[in-house]
Amino acid sequence: LRQSVFRDGVVDRREAEMIFRLDQSCSDKAPVWGEFYVDSLTDYFVWKSKPPKYVDEAGARFLIDNITRDGRIDGKSELELLVNIVHWADSVPEDLNVLMLQAVKESVLTPDQAAYGQGRNAGVVTASDVALVRRAIYAPASEGGYTVTKREAEMIFAINNATVASENDPGWQDLFVKAIANYLMFPRSAPKVLSAEEYNRRDAWLEERRGVGRLLADVGRNVASFNVADGWASWDPFGSR
């Protein structure tokens, strides 16, 4: 499958559908299947999107339809795929972030009802959970990027309150404290990345005007002639003028 899918360096929609069908049809899977599933579909949704690293509404719907049943994550590989896509993308629709946070919380608090957590003890945060939560809330394409949003902070509190009397992994307390401090220190969250439309517009603008080499040369000449003292004096960071 790796030779077939990655032979031309491209995972297209047809190949993505094939991988989803195989995963859904086969109940007995080799351990290496999960790695292939996550790698190949991340390649399709993140790196082969246009522009790269921007997951649009249609892509998000295609993903959600294939990793959920009745609005829930089907299994461990599906959740890992979702977190991986949000981790590597620059922008994803809100629906993916909401689904990811809900699935992460359910895997810890109600594992018998969440396919990802079946067979584990409920209400205990493991080292794997700590790593998963960290990736979910600090993913570049998550709601706040590298900052923690109110929704993410509420998920953290819900998990902590439900497991406070449990023997959680030592890394959980450190993650909990730092995540909540992050939310309190940066309540407005991180600056939003460019939209896909704006990204394409700027890329086209650059292509229409000059090559990158000439642009960098012009930038270098302007920087060399820039008067730092005058620039600093004219800078008004507090909006007083």
Side-chain angles (χ1 to χ4, degrees):
L1 281 170
R2 284 190 180 276
Q3 291 176 348
S4 173
V5 170
F6 292 112
R7 180 172 53 233
D8 54 1
V10 174
V11 176
D12 59 25
R13 175 71 175 248
R14 179 184 61 82
E15 290 170 332
E17 291 175 342
M18 175 198 70
I19 294 167
F20 277 130
R21 286 199 301 271
L22 280 173
D23 187 70
Q24 294 160 5
S25 302
C26 301
S27 58
D28 188 10
K29 305 180 182 73
V32 294
W33 167 258
E35 181 181 337
F36 167 77
Y37 175 88
V38 173
D39 287 349
S40 59
L41 291 172
T42 297
D43 185 64
Y44 172 74
F45 284 101
V46 177
W47 304 110
K48 299 307 183 292
S49 60
K50 296 182 179 179
K53 304 182 74 173
Y54 282 76
V55 180
D56 59 19
E57 294 288 347
R61 177 45 49 192
F62 176 49
L63 174 64
I64 292 173
D65 287 346
N66 280 282
I67 64 174
T68 62
R69 292 291 184 273
D70 299 325
R72 302 175 69 88
I73 294 290
D74 282 347
K76 180 178 180 180
S77 294
E78 283 79 1
L79 180 53
E80 290 178 348
L81 171 62
L82 177 57
V83 174
N84 209 47
I85 288 172
V86 176
H87 173 77
W88 287 109
D90 283 339
S91 176
V92 302
E94 183 182 13
D95 288 350
L96 289 188
N97 280 310
V98 172
L99 179 63
M100 177 180 67
L101 293 177
Q102 185 64 26
V104 169
K105 183 171 72 172
E106 288 178 354
S107 72
V108 177
L109 303 185
T110 56
D112 289 340
Q113 302 172 29
Y116 175 72
Q118 289 179 357
R120 52 168 286 178
N121 293 327
V124 178
V125 181
T126 66
S128 296
D129 295 326
V130 173
L132 184 62
V133 171
R134 180 179 286 110
R135 289 190 69 195
I137 64 175
Y138 291 125
S142 64
E143 285 187 313
Y146 295 111
T147 63
V148 177
T149 65
K150 180 179 180 181
R151 178 155 37 195
E152 291 167 339
E154 288 175 343
M155 180 197 73
I156 295 288
F157 262 118
I159 293 175
N160 191 71
N161 291 343
T163 64
V164 67
S166 303
E167 294 185 7
N168 292 333
D169 181 83
W172 171 251
Q173 186 65 19
D174 179 70
L175 175 61
F176 171 76
V177 171
K178 290 180 178 178
I180 300 306
N182 183 305
Y183 168 66
L184 295 175
M185 291 173 65
F186 303 103
R188 295 183 180 179
S189 299
K192 295 297 182 183
V193 299
L194 294 177
S195 66
E197 292 76 14
E198 180 64 10
Y199 178 99
N200 286 329
R201 187 189 69 79
R202 295 189 182 193
D203 189 55
W205 176 87
L206 184 60
E207 285 294 326
E208 290 173 0
R209 281 155 179 79
R210 64 186 67 192
V212 174
R214 287 185 57 194
L215 175 64
L216 293 177
D218 287 349
V219 170
R221 284 193 294 272
N222 281 283
V223 169
S225 62
F226 179 69
N227 187 309
V228 177
D230 290 344
W232 181 261
S234 64
W235 186 47
D236 185 25
F238 301 106
S240 58
R241 290 196 294 273

